[in-house]
Amino acid sequence: MAATAACSIRGRFLGFTITSGVKCFAPKQFRWVSSTRCTSTQAAFCAHLDREIASIKEAGTWKEERIITSKQAVNITVQGSDRKILNFCANNYLGLSSHPDVIAAGIAGMKTHGAGLSSVRFICGTQDIHKELEAKIAKFHGREDAILYPSCFDANGGFFECLLSQEDAVFSDALNHASIIDGIRLCKAKKYVFKHRDMKELEEKLQEASGARLRVIATDGVFSMDGSVSPLRDICRLADQYKALVFVDEAHSTGFFGKTGRGTEEFHGVSGQPDVICSTLGKALGGAAGGYTTGPKQLTDILRQRSRPYLFSNTLPPAVVCCASKVSVPPSAPDFFTLAAYLLNSAAISLSGVHGVI
């Protein structure tokens, strides 16, 4: 016997959404409706989106996605061209995204630990390789513990909201990455934005928030859009003076900036002084995906209990974990990491008196 129901914008197994409209007929065992319900509301919504798209294009900020048909590398092939293209825009700072040792590690990880966990970490999504990588990350940065996230964006998004309340204050560089900005938006702390790298204004705002319970200064280590470097030594000095915590996003410095690739704190000679470091596995460290937060053990313990991107996102897949773990043990040559960091730091330039990174 055929079942009768109205077409719905939402297809569903085991039953239909009943609304007024055109009737559909399907055998009971195949109750799935995928036809789109066209309404005046949806038409108005699409018209609104068309106007938004037009305004983005008119402003010259519309982004086209290049379709690469090869591995990520210095020389790539792209759809629509039969020539090799020289690639200057990847964050593949050490060229490890397609390194044969890294690829082999990912394949081996899938064979031993599967394609994925189909679970969040706290239910049944933590394997021995996840804990091993977290220990390696903490050791690399000289911190007590580390916690993995699907991305550095998630690590930043999951930090501020679960730790800061109305009693607290957070101070953000005006050119901080969108993930820091969005993470701060989610928390209830009082928010202060200081001009890019302006320590005088930062100090004024720290004085203004003298009554806050916790004060957190948040900054990128290397700012992704223009390559300027955070004045981390001065930030740490102010943090000590005004009893504030220092949070640094090292996504664009981990692995290659500083003498041994340990980022901005190493570059400025203040290793160990920032209280919290967030960074990524998706750039210099293999380029696949994943991010992390590292700092005191008490911090990672709280994040495992309360950080929503960690609690409600699938765990990193084994291939990604094993690729990153391989990078933490430099491929082929023992001095690979140090040499690559040295060569890249030798390419540092000065732009208007601000150290920049190529």
Side-chain angles (χ1 to χ4, degrees):
M1 181 181 295
T4 304
C7 293
S8 169
I9 193 170
R10 296 183 182 89
R12 297 186 181 182
F13 285 110
L14 303 177
F16 291 106
T17 301
I18 306 300
T19 61
S20 60
V22 180
K23 291 184 178 180
C24 299
F25 299 90
K28 188 175 182 179
Q29 65 269 35
F30 298 115
R31 290 187 176 183
W32 171 259
V33 177
S34 60
S35 56
T36 300
R37 179 169 55 93
C38 185
T39 65
S40 59
T41 302
Q42 186 184 103
F45 175 59
C46 289
H48 165 72
L49 295 181
D50 284 336
R51 291 191 294 272
E52 289 293 308
I53 291 169
S55 68
I56 295 171
K57 290 181 176 179
E58 186 177 348
T61 56
W62 181 261
K63 292 166 282 295
E64 297 286 352
E65 296 183 357
R66 303 170 182 84
I67 301 174
I68 299 173
T69 57
S70 62
K71 298 175 183 177
Q72 185 65 277
V74 174
N75 293 290
I76 57 174
T77 57
V78 299
Q79 195 173 86
S81 174
D82 56 0
R83 298 186 302 168
K84 285 280 188 179
I85 304 295
L86 194 58
N87 181 10
F88 284 98
C89 32
N91 296 320
N92 183 24
Y93 297 121
L94 298 180
L96 297 178
S97 295
S98 302
H99 193 286
D101 291 358
V102 176
I103 294 171
I107 294 171
M110 290 183 69
K111 289 180 177 178
T112 58
H113 287 74
L117 275 297
S118 304
S119 173
V120 298
R121 285 285 296 269
F122 76 93
I123 296 178
C124 58
T126 298
Q127 293 173 313
D128 53 348
I129 54 175
H130 295 90
K131 300 305 293 183
E132 289 166 5
L133 179 55
E134 286 171 339
K136 287 181 178 181
I137 289 168
K139 183 178 180 181
F140 176 74
H141 285 287
R143 298 315 196 267
E144 291 181 0
D145 196 18
I147 176 173
L148 292 170
Y149 285 86
S151 68
C152 187
F153 203 111
D154 284 323
N156 290 343
F159 176 80
F160 302 95
E161 184 269 338
C162 75
L163 293 169
L164 303 181
S165 72
Q166 301 96 318
E167 303 173 76
D168 306 316
V170 60
F171 308 84
S172 179
D173 188 290
L175 294 189
N176 274 343
H177 190 267
S179 58
I180 299 176
I181 295 170
D182 285 0
I184 290 173
R185 282 174 179 164
L186 291 171
C187 78
K188 296 179 180 179
K190 190 166 184 181
K191 302 162 182 68
Y192 299 83
V193 177
F194 58 93
K195 294 175 185 175
H196 181 48
R197 304 178 79 253
D198 190 328
M199 295 298 97
K200 182 180 178 181
E201 184 164 281
L202 171 59
E203 183 169 15
E204 290 171 354
K205 293 185 181 298
L206 285 165
Q207 292 170 346
E208 184 181 341
S210 59
R213 181 189 62 169
L214 295 176
R215 283 174 284 181
V216 178
I217 304 170
T219 182
D220 275 321
V222 173
F223 290 83
S224 60
M225 296 307 294
D226 60 6
S228 61
V229 180
S230 170
L232 198 54
R233 181 185 292 277
D234 294 332
I235 288 175
C236 288
R237 176 183 56 79
L238 288 174
D240 287 342
Q241 183 178 347
Y242 292 97
K243 298 184 180 349
L245 299 168
V246 177
F247 170 101
V248 186
D249 180 337
E250 294 277 36
H252 287 272
S253 56
T254 296
F256 71 96
F257 194 56
K259 184 178 180 180
T260 63
R262 285 168 170 81
T264 316
E265 63 171 0
E266 183 178 53
F267 176 79
H268 280 299
V270 292
S271 294
Q273 292 188 34
D275 301 279
V276 183
I277 290 176
C278 284
S279 194
T280 183
L281 305 172
K283 292 181 172 60
L285 304 185
Y292 59 85
T293 300
T294 185
K297 179 67 162 55
Q298 296 93 327
L299 170 64
T300 56
D301 284 346
I302 287 292
L303 293 175
R304 292 185 200 280
Q305 299 302 313
R306 293 182 177 173
S307 183
R308 294 169 74 86
Y310 177 84
L311 289 169
F312 300 109
S313 296
N314 262 21
T315 185
L316 280 180
V320 173
V321 174
C322 291
C323 286
S325 284
K326 184 64 177 178
V327 172
S328 68
V329 180
S332 302
D335 293 329
F336 180 85
F337 228 1
T338 304
L339 176 61
Y342 170 77
L343 291 173
L344 280 162
N345 280 323
S346 296
I349 61 173
S350 179
L351 296 173
S352 302
V354 178
H355 287 294
V357 180
I358 293 181

